[in-house]
Amino acid sequence: MKNKIRTMNRLNVSITRKVIELQEQGYDCDFLLLANGNLQCMQTNLNYPVSAVSIKEREHGYDLLSHSYKHVHTIETGNGERGVLLTEKEF
């Protein structure tokens, strides 16, 4: 049981480390996937159609808090905003 917790904890840590690493590289915005399929930048409140941004998956792993797999994506917009999107599905 203890080994299982350690393994899952490492996956949570890997997601957290990747987000911190990306923020240090200038991906300082946080994006939210809206129900209509658009992305919203949490810092500027601007909405972007998914087709108008560049999305790359950077990491994935199991999240103990939500009991689901999470995918860490980077988002780059046409106006220079760069940020991170954390979702349960891969783009």
Side-chain angles (χ1 to χ4, degrees), residues 26-32 38-56 73-85:
Y27 292 93
D28 52 359
C29 293
D30 301 304
F31 283 87
L32 175 67
N38 287 345
L39 294 170
Q40 181 179 36
C41 176
M42 302 301 288
Q43 284 72 22
T44 64
N45 244 8
L46 294 175
N47 290 337
Y48 300 94
V50 172
S51 60
V53 299
S54 172
I55 302 173
K56 294 180 183 174
H73 301 85
T74 54
I75 307 293
E76 294 188 25
T77 69
N79 66 353
E81 287 183 336
R82 294 171 17 132
V84 176
L85 170 67

Side-chain angles (χ1 to χ4, degrees), residues 64-75:
L64 287 173
L65 298 175
S66 66
H67 300 288
S68 63
Y69 281 92
K70 296 291 185 182
H71 299 267
V72 179
H73 301 85
T74 54
I75 307 293

